[in-house]
Amino acid sequence: MKRIVVYFLAFSIVFAAMVGACYLINLFVGLVFHQSWFAGWREYVVIGFAGAMAGTFGPVLFALIEKRFKK
């Protein structure tokens, strides 16, 4: 149970960081170039979810694959 809570916290932190980074990049691009890269909030959520999945579970998956090939 403790491991699930840790994974959820890590996922939430990475998700928030990805969404925030995308928002700030889009805000900067909008101010400088007067255009928007994202159409709505749904795109922020999708990119944040994809980044959080890769950032949270990517190293775990890598460790499992590396462990399998070492045997």
Side-chain angles (χ1 to χ4, degrees):
M1 186 67 177
K2 187 187 231 183
R3 180 181 249 174
I4 293 173
V5 172
V6 171
Y7 279 134
F8 179 74
L9 286 174
F11 182 85
S12 299
I13 290 168
V14 174
F15 177 80
M18 288 294 296
V19 170
C22 287
Y23 177 75
L24 290 176
I25 290 170
N26 192 39
L27 185 65
F28 177 73
V29 167
L31 290 174
V32 174
F33 299 111
H34 304 292
Q35 66 184 21
S36 178
W37 283 353
F38 303 107
W41 63 270
R42 289 178 184 95
E43 292 182 10
Y44 292 115
V45 171
V46 169
I47 292 171
F49 184 76
M53 290 294 287
T56 304
F57 299 110
V60 175
L61 183 62
F62 174 77
L64 288 173
I65 291 171
E66 186 179 33
K67 183 179 174 182
R68 298 288 178 186
F69 281 119
K70 277 190 175 181
K71 289 184 178 180

